[in-house]
Amino acid sequence: MSEKDSAVSIHVSIANKKFPIIAKSQEEEEIYRAASKRINDMISKFQAKYGAQADPLDFLYLTAFQHTVALIQAERKNDTEPILNEIEKINIKIDEFIKE
């Protein structure tokens, strides 16, 4: 069994709560741990900004919101469909020009 095929059970901590996760590779484990760290870092920033008296669940909501905004921005930035549509239009014009 190769390293990529070996699954390992790990625990990640998010907002001081541990979650069991199965990582299918070392790379996947690193990604899960990095994601957990990023979430916890963002929660800490919100706690510093809004104070510890706020509901800890609110920090998780804000973190989920921030990450979702970043995900949507990345998806839109990487959306190649408009470019592919323009290339298709240009190809059609080139074909029409060549046929003339």
Side-chain angles (χ1 to χ4, degrees), residues 10-94:
I10 63 170
H11 286 84
V12 295
S13 178
I14 299 173
N16 298 320
K17 184 170 181 177
K18 289 191 177 197
F19 298 92
I21 305 284
I22 301 295
K24 295 177 186 166
S25 68
Q26 184 175 355
E27 180 183 11
E28 196 171 73
E29 178 182 353
E30 291 170 4
I31 291 169
Y32 291 156
R33 293 191 188 281
S36 172
K37 182 180 181 331
R38 188 174 292 181
I39 291 168
N40 288 323
D41 289 347
M42 190 168 282
I43 289 170
S44 293
K45 287 179 185 177
F46 285 128
Q47 286 173 329
K49 183 175 182 177
Y50 297 111
Q53 72 276 6
D55 184 352
L57 203 51
D58 289 342
F59 301 135
L60 286 171
Y61 296 147
L62 289 169
T63 299
F65 178 75
Q66 289 284 21
H67 281 282
T68 303
V69 167
L71 177 64
I72 291 169
Q73 288 172 333
E75 287 171 347
R76 288 184 178 176
K77 185 176 183 180
N78 292 326
D79 183 13
T80 59
E81 188 173 340
I83 295 168
L84 293 175
N85 288 339
E86 287 302 313
I87 291 172
E88 183 63 29
K89 289 177 187 176
I90 291 169
N91 281 338
I92 291 170
K93 288 181 181 180
I94 290 172

